mmCIF file of all heavy atoms in Angstrom:
data_model
loop_
_atom_site.group_PDB
_atom_site.id
_atom_site.type_symbol
_atom_site.label_atom_id
_atom_site.label_comp_id
_atom_site.label_asym_id
_atom_site.label_seq_id
_atom_site.Cartn_x
_atom_site.Cartn_y
_atom_site.Cartn_z
ATOM 1 N N PRO A 1014 0.800 -1.227 -0.004
ATOM 2 C CA PRO A 1014 0.013 0.004 -0.007
ATOM 3 C C PRO A 1014 0.853 1.275 0.000
ATOM 4 O O PRO A 1014 0.458 2.259 -0.620
ATOM 5 C CB PRO A 1014 -0.816 -0.132 1.287
ATOM 6 C CG PRO A 1014 -0.864 -1.574 1.594
ATOM 7 C CD PRO A 1014 0.447 -2.093 1.130
ATOM 8 N N ARG A 1015 1.957 1.239 0.693
ATOM 9 C CA ARG A 1015 2.846 2.413 0.740
ATOM 10 C C ARG A 1015 3.431 2.729 -0.648
ATOM 11 O O ARG A 1015 3.456 3.881 -1.080
ATOM 12 C CB ARG A 1015 3.979 2.200 1.746
ATOM 13 C CG ARG A 1015 3.540 2.256 3.194
ATOM 14 C CD ARG A 1015 4.623 1.709 4.091
ATOM 15 N NE ARG A 1015 5.948 2.235 3.780
ATOM 16 C CZ ARG A 1015 7.068 1.644 4.166
ATOM 17 N NH1 ARG A 1015 7.040 0.518 4.883
ATOM 18 N NH2 ARG A 1015 8.251 2.189 3.854
ATOM 19 N N VAL A 1016 3.878 1.692 -1.329
ATOM 20 C CA VAL A 1016 4.461 1.888 -2.669
ATOM 21 C C VAL A 1016 3.381 2.293 -3.647
ATOM 22 O O VAL A 1016 3.591 3.166 -4.512
ATOM 23 C CB VAL A 1016 5.229 0.657 -3.141
ATOM 24 C CG1 VAL A 1016 5.802 0.858 -4.537
ATOM 25 C CG2 VAL A 1016 6.357 0.324 -2.186
ATOM 26 N N ALA A 1017 2.191 1.696 -3.516
ATOM 27 C CA ALA A 1017 1.080 2.039 -4.409
ATOM 28 C C ALA A 1017 0.665 3.488 -4.225
ATOM 29 O O ALA A 1017 0.413 4.211 -5.215
ATOM 30 C CB ALA A 1017 -0.126 1.112 -4.157
ATOM 31 N N GLU A 1018 0.639 3.947 -2.974
ATOM 32 C CA GLU A 1018 0.288 5.342 -2.720
ATOM 33 C C GLU A 1018 1.339 6.289 -3.342
ATOM 34 O O GLU A 1018 1.000 7.332 -3.922
ATOM 35 C CB GLU A 1018 0.191 5.603 -1.217
ATOM 36 C CG GLU A 1018 -0.187 7.020 -0.873
ATOM 37 C CD GLU A 1018 -0.206 7.256 0.623
ATOM 38 O OE1 GLU A 1018 0.244 6.371 1.391
ATOM 39 O OE2 GLU A 1018 -0.658 8.361 1.026
ATOM 40 N N ARG A 1019 2.570 5.924 -3.216
ATOM 41 C CA ARG A 1019 3.652 6.733 -3.772
ATOM 42 C C ARG A 1019 3.529 6.795 -5.305
ATOM 43 O O ARG A 1019 3.648 7.841 -5.927
ATOM 44 C CB ARG A 1019 4.990 6.183 -3.350
ATOM 45 C CG ARG A 1019 6.175 6.855 -4.023
ATOM 46 C CD ARG A 1019 7.479 6.402 -3.426
ATOM 47 N NE ARG A 1019 8.621 6.846 -4.221
ATOM 48 C CZ ARG A 1019 9.881 6.679 -3.874
ATOM 49 N NH1 ARG A 1019 10.172 6.100 -2.711
ATOM 50 N NH2 ARG A 1019 10.858 7.074 -4.648
ATOM 51 N N ALA A 1020 3.297 5.620 -5.912
ATOM 52 C CA ALA A 1020 3.182 5.574 -7.361
ATOM 53 C C ALA A 1020 1.986 6.410 -7.849
ATOM 54 O O ALA A 1020 2.089 7.147 -8.834
ATOM 55 C CB ALA A 1020 3.002 4.112 -7.827
ATOM 56 N N TYR A 1021 0.855 6.288 -7.161
ATOM 57 C CA TYR A 1021 -0.334 7.036 -7.561
ATOM 58 C C TYR A 1021 -0.129 8.512 -7.367
ATOM 59 O O TYR A 1021 -0.503 9.325 -8.239
ATOM 60 C CB TYR A 1021 -1.534 6.544 -6.765
ATOM 61 C CG TYR A 1021 -2.851 7.033 -7.295
ATOM 62 C CD1 TYR A 1021 -3.448 6.393 -8.341
ATOM 63 C CD2 TYR A 1021 -3.488 8.142 -6.743
ATOM 64 C CE1 TYR A 1021 -4.662 6.833 -8.873
ATOM 65 C CE2 TYR A 1021 -4.687 8.585 -7.244
ATOM 66 C CZ TYR A 1021 -5.290 7.931 -8.315
ATOM 67 O OH TYR A 1021 -6.493 8.373 -8.832
ATOM 68 N N ARG A 1022 0.460 8.924 -6.247
ATOM 69 C CA ARG A 1022 0.702 10.334 -5.969
ATOM 70 C C ARG A 1022 1.613 10.967 -7.016
ATOM 71 O O ARG A 1022 1.455 12.121 -7.410
ATOM 72 C CB ARG A 1022 1.310 10.487 -4.574
ATOM 73 C CG ARG A 1022 1.352 11.926 -4.079
ATOM 74 C CD ARG A 1022 1.724 12.000 -2.621
ATOM 75 N NE ARG A 1022 3.039 11.401 -2.344
ATOM 76 C CZ ARG A 1022 3.235 10.330 -1.617
ATOM 77 N NH1 ARG A 1022 2.213 9.689 -1.070
ATOM 78 N NH2 ARG A 1022 4.442 9.866 -1.395
ATOM 79 N N SER A 1023 2.564 10.191 -7.489
ATOM 80 C CA SER A 1023 3.516 10.736 -8.512
ATOM 81 C C SER A 1023 2.849 11.040 -9.828
ATOM 82 O O SER A 1023 3.406 11.796 -10.638
ATOM 83 C CB SER A 1023 4.636 9.707 -8.748
ATOM 84 O OG SER A 1023 4.185 8.594 -9.492
ATOM 85 N N LEU A 1024 1.629 10.517 -10.053
ATOM 86 C CA LEU A 1024 0.933 10.794 -11.300
ATOM 87 C C LEU A 1024 0.404 12.235 -11.356
ATOM 88 O O LEU A 1024 0.127 12.755 -12.434
ATOM 89 C CB LEU A 1024 -0.229 9.809 -11.485
ATOM 90 C CG LEU A 1024 0.154 8.319 -11.513
ATOM 91 C CD1 LEU A 1024 -1.102 7.444 -11.536
ATOM 92 C CD2 LEU A 1024 1.057 8.014 -12.691
ATOM 93 N N GLY A 1025 0.201 12.821 -10.183
ATOM 94 C CA GLY A 1025 -0.267 14.212 -10.135
ATOM 95 C C GLY A 1025 -1.711 14.410 -10.525
ATOM 96 O O GLY A 1025 -2.100 15.508 -10.947
ATOM 97 N N LYS A 1026 -2.497 13.356 -10.390
ATOM 98 C CA LYS A 1026 -3.925 13.437 -10.748
ATOM 99 C C LYS A 1026 -4.753 12.912 -9.570
ATOM 100 O O LYS A 1026 -4.395 11.913 -8.935
ATOM 101 C CB LYS A 1026 -4.244 12.590 -11.957
ATOM 102 C CG LYS A 1026 -3.564 13.036 -13.265
ATOM 103 C CD LYS A 1026 -3.968 12.158 -14.411
ATOM 104 C CE LYS A 1026 -3.385 12.608 -15.732
ATOM 105 N NZ LYS A 1026 -3.836 11.763 -16.869
ATOM 106 N N SER A 1027 -5.866 13.557 -9.304
ATOM 107 C CA SER A 1027 -6.748 13.088 -8.243
ATOM 108 C C SER A 1027 -7.568 11.892 -8.707
ATOM 109 O O SER A 1027 -8.010 11.097 -7.872
ATOM 110 C CB SER A 1027 -7.660 14.210 -7.778
ATOM 111 O OG SER A 1027 -8.480 14.664 -8.862
ATOM 112 N N ARG A 1028 -7.785 11.762 -10.008
ATOM 113 C CA ARG A 1028 -8.631 10.697 -10.526
ATOM 114 C C ARG A 1028 -7.920 10.056 -11.733
ATOM 115 O O ARG A 1028 -8.310 10.205 -12.895
ATOM 116 C CB ARG A 1028 -9.968 11.293 -10.962
ATOM 117 C CG ARG A 1028 -11.047 10.274 -11.360
ATOM 118 C CD ARG A 1028 -11.648 9.606 -10.150
ATOM 119 N NE ARG A 1028 -12.863 8.897 -10.517
ATOM 120 C CZ ARG A 1028 -13.242 7.751 -9.958
ATOM 121 N NH1 ARG A 1028 -12.519 7.186 -9.007
ATOM 122 N NH2 ARG A 1028 -14.335 7.172 -10.312
ATOM 123 N N ALA A 1029 -6.850 9.347 -11.447
ATOM 124 C CA ALA A 1029 -6.028 8.753 -12.513
ATOM 125 C C ALA A 1029 -6.589 7.399 -12.916
ATOM 126 O O ALA A 1029 -7.385 6.770 -12.199
ATOM 127 C CB ALA A 1029 -4.614 8.595 -12.054
ATOM 128 N N ARG A 1030 -6.201 6.961 -14.088
ATOM 129 C CA ARG A 1030 -6.605 5.625 -14.616
ATOM 130 C C ARG A 1030 -5.504 4.610 -14.346
ATOM 131 O O ARG A 1030 -4.344 4.820 -14.723
ATOM 132 C CB ARG A 1030 -6.890 5.712 -16.093
ATOM 133 C CG ARG A 1030 -8.123 6.526 -16.467
ATOM 134 C CD ARG A 1030 -8.359 6.526 -17.966
ATOM 135 N NE ARG A 1030 -9.577 7.273 -18.289
ATOM 136 C CZ ARG A 1030 -10.801 6.723 -18.373
ATOM 137 N NH1 ARG A 1030 -10.968 5.446 -18.116
ATOM 138 N NH2 ARG A 1030 -11.853 7.503 -18.659
ATOM 139 N N VAL A 1031 -5.903 3.501 -13.708
ATOM 140 C CA VAL A 1031 -4.970 2.405 -13.442
ATOM 141 C C VAL A 1031 -5.485 1.189 -14.196
ATOM 142 O O VAL A 1031 -6.600 0.708 -13.963
ATOM 143 C CB VAL A 1031 -4.877 2.113 -11.933
ATOM 144 C CG1 VAL A 1031 -3.941 0.896 -11.693
ATOM 145 C CG2 VAL A 1031 -4.394 3.335 -11.169
ATOM 146 N N ALA A 1032 -4.660 0.710 -15.144
ATOM 147 C CA ALA A 1032 -5.025 -0.489 -15.947
ATOM 148 C C ALA A 1032 -4.328 -1.682 -15.344
ATOM 149 O O ALA A 1032 -3.121 -1.662 -15.084
ATOM 150 C CB ALA A 1032 -4.615 -0.276 -17.379
ATOM 151 N N VAL A 1033 -5.106 -2.770 -15.098
ATOM 152 C CA VAL A 1033 -4.579 -3.914 -14.391
ATOM 153 C C VAL A 1033 -4.662 -5.149 -15.270
ATOM 154 O O VAL A 1033 -5.657 -5.361 -15.983
ATOM 155 C CB VAL A 1033 -5.400 -4.177 -13.108
ATOM 156 C CG1 VAL A 1033 -4.760 -5.283 -12.255
ATOM 157 C CG2 VAL A 1033 -5.540 -2.877 -12.297
ATOM 158 N N THR A 1034 -3.625 -6.007 -15.235
ATOM 159 C CA THR A 1034 -3.747 -7.340 -15.801
ATOM 160 C C THR A 1034 -3.692 -8.347 -14.678
ATOM 161 O O THR A 1034 -2.837 -8.282 -13.755
ATOM 162 C CB THR A 1034 -2.627 -7.650 -16.828
ATOM 163 O OG1 THR A 1034 -2.767 -9.046 -17.239
ATOM 164 C CG2 THR A 1034 -1.258 -7.415 -16.316
ATOM 165 N N TYR A 1035 -4.635 -9.283 -14.714
ATOM 166 C CA TYR A 1035 -4.727 -10.364 -13.738
ATOM 167 C C TYR A 1035 -4.282 -11.673 -14.388
ATOM 168 O O TYR A 1035 -4.692 -12.754 -13.947
ATOM 169 C CB TYR A 1035 -6.150 -10.491 -13.224
ATOM 170 C CG TYR A 1035 -6.675 -9.249 -12.543
ATOM 171 C CD1 TYR A 1035 -7.502 -8.368 -13.244
ATOM 172 C CD2 TYR A 1035 -6.327 -8.972 -11.233
ATOM 173 C CE1 TYR A 1035 -8.000 -7.221 -12.597
ATOM 174 C CE2 TYR A 1035 -6.841 -7.829 -10.596
ATOM 175 C CZ TYR A 1035 -7.678 -6.973 -11.285
ATOM 176 O OH TYR A 1035 -8.148 -5.824 -10.681
ATOM 177 N N ALA A 1036 -3.425 -11.607 -15.405
ATOM 178 C CA ALA A 1036 -2.969 -12.818 -16.106
ATOM 179 C C ALA A 1036 -2.404 -13.870 -15.151
ATOM 180 O O ALA A 1036 -2.599 -15.057 -15.374
ATOM 181 C CB ALA A 1036 -1.966 -12.462 -17.187
ATOM 182 N N PRO A 1037 -1.668 -13.501 -14.097
ATOM 183 C CA PRO A 1037 -1.114 -14.549 -13.198
ATOM 184 C C PRO A 1037 -2.137 -15.337 -12.427
ATOM 185 O O PRO A 1037 -1.796 -16.348 -11.818
ATOM 186 C CB PRO A 1037 -0.217 -13.747 -12.261
ATOM 187 C CG PRO A 1037 0.165 -12.527 -12.994
ATOM 188 C CD PRO A 1037 -1.072 -12.169 -13.754
ATOM 189 N N VAL A 1038 -3.424 -14.933 -12.458
ATOM 190 C CA VAL A 1038 -4.476 -15.728 -11.788
ATOM 191 C C VAL A 1038 -5.536 -16.117 -12.817
ATOM 192 O O VAL A 1038 -6.676 -16.423 -12.455
ATOM 193 C CB VAL A 1038 -5.103 -14.972 -10.600
ATOM 194 C CG1 VAL A 1038 -4.150 -14.903 -9.418
ATOM 195 C CG2 VAL A 1038 -5.570 -13.580 -10.998
ATOM 196 N N ALA A 1039 -5.165 -16.132 -14.075
ATOM 197 C CA ALA A 1039 -6.147 -16.551 -15.144
ATOM 198 C C ALA A 1039 -6.677 -17.953 -14.846
ATOM 199 O O ALA A 1039 -5.907 -18.879 -14.518
ATOM 200 C CB ALA A 1039 -5.450 -16.524 -16.499
ATOM 201 N N GLY A 1040 -7.975 -18.088 -14.963
ATOM 202 C CA GLY A 1040 -8.606 -19.388 -14.740
ATOM 203 C C GLY A 1040 -8.775 -19.756 -13.268
ATOM 204 O O GLY A 1040 -9.211 -20.888 -12.939
ATOM 205 N N ASN A 1041 -8.520 -18.805 -12.359
ATOM 206 C CA ASN A 1041 -8.623 -19.068 -10.941
ATOM 207 C C ASN A 1041 -9.623 -18.063 -10.348
ATOM 208 O O ASN A 1041 -9.239 -16.971 -9.966
ATOM 209 C CB ASN A 1041 -7.234 -18.905 -10.277
ATOM 210 C CG ASN A 1041 -7.287 -19.115 -8.777
ATOM 211 O OD1 ASN A 1041 -8.327 -19.200 -8.136
ATOM 212 N ND2 ASN A 1041 -6.104 -19.176 -8.147
ATOM 213 N N PRO A 1042 -10.893 -18.413 -10.274
ATOM 214 C CA PRO A 1042 -11.898 -17.444 -9.853
ATOM 215 C C PRO A 1042 -11.647 -16.866 -8.466
ATOM 216 O O PRO A 1042 -11.832 -15.682 -8.239
ATOM 217 C CB PRO A 1042 -13.206 -18.265 -9.883
ATOM 218 C CG PRO A 1042 -12.956 -19.341 -10.871
ATOM 219 C CD PRO A 1042 -11.520 -19.668 -10.708
ATOM 220 N N ALA A 1043 -11.209 -17.714 -7.539
ATOM 221 C CA ALA A 1043 -10.959 -17.235 -6.166
ATOM 222 C C ALA A 1043 -9.756 -16.263 -6.147
ATOM 223 O O ALA A 1043 -9.799 -15.236 -5.480
ATOM 224 C CB ALA A 1043 -10.681 -18.425 -5.236
ATOM 225 N N GLY A 1044 -8.719 -16.619 -6.907
ATOM 226 C CA GLY A 1044 -7.555 -15.731 -6.969
ATOM 227 C C GLY A 1044 -7.888 -14.403 -7.625
ATOM 228 O O GLY A 1044 -7.433 -13.359 -7.174
ATOM 229 N N LEU A 1045 -8.698 -14.458 -8.654
ATOM 230 C CA LEU A 1045 -9.117 -13.238 -9.356
ATOM 231 C C LEU A 1045 -9.927 -12.365 -8.449
ATOM 232 O O LEU A 1045 -9.715 -11.129 -8.376
ATOM 233 C CB LEU A 1045 -9.902 -13.615 -10.598
ATOM 234 C CG LEU A 1045 -10.465 -12.415 -11.426
ATOM 235 C CD1 LEU A 1045 -9.328 -11.520 -11.889
ATOM 236 C CD2 LEU A 1045 -11.269 -12.933 -12.606
ATOM 237 N N ALA A 1046 -10.868 -12.951 -7.689
ATOM 238 C CA ALA A 1046 -11.677 -12.169 -6.803
ATOM 239 C C ALA A 1046 -10.822 -11.488 -5.718
ATOM 240 O O ALA A 1046 -11.019 -10.318 -5.378
ATOM 241 C CB ALA A 1046 -12.755 -13.056 -6.150
#
């Protein structure tokens, strides 16, 4: 959470877009959730 906050703050936007890939849990419904 600390690193994520730092990364988000560095964007300089209050409402930035974060695009996520969940490929490492593909086919795993519990992992994806």
Side-chain angles (χ1 to χ4, degrees):
R1015 288 167 45 200
V1016 177
E1018 181 182 10
R1019 174 172 168 174
Y1021 192 82
R1022 190 170 60 245
S1023 73
L1024 301 175
K1026 296 182 177 182
S1027 60
R1028 189 76 167 145
R1030 292 181 178 271
V1031 178
V1033 188
T1034 175
Y1035 301 99
V1038 288
N1041 179 351
L1045 177 59

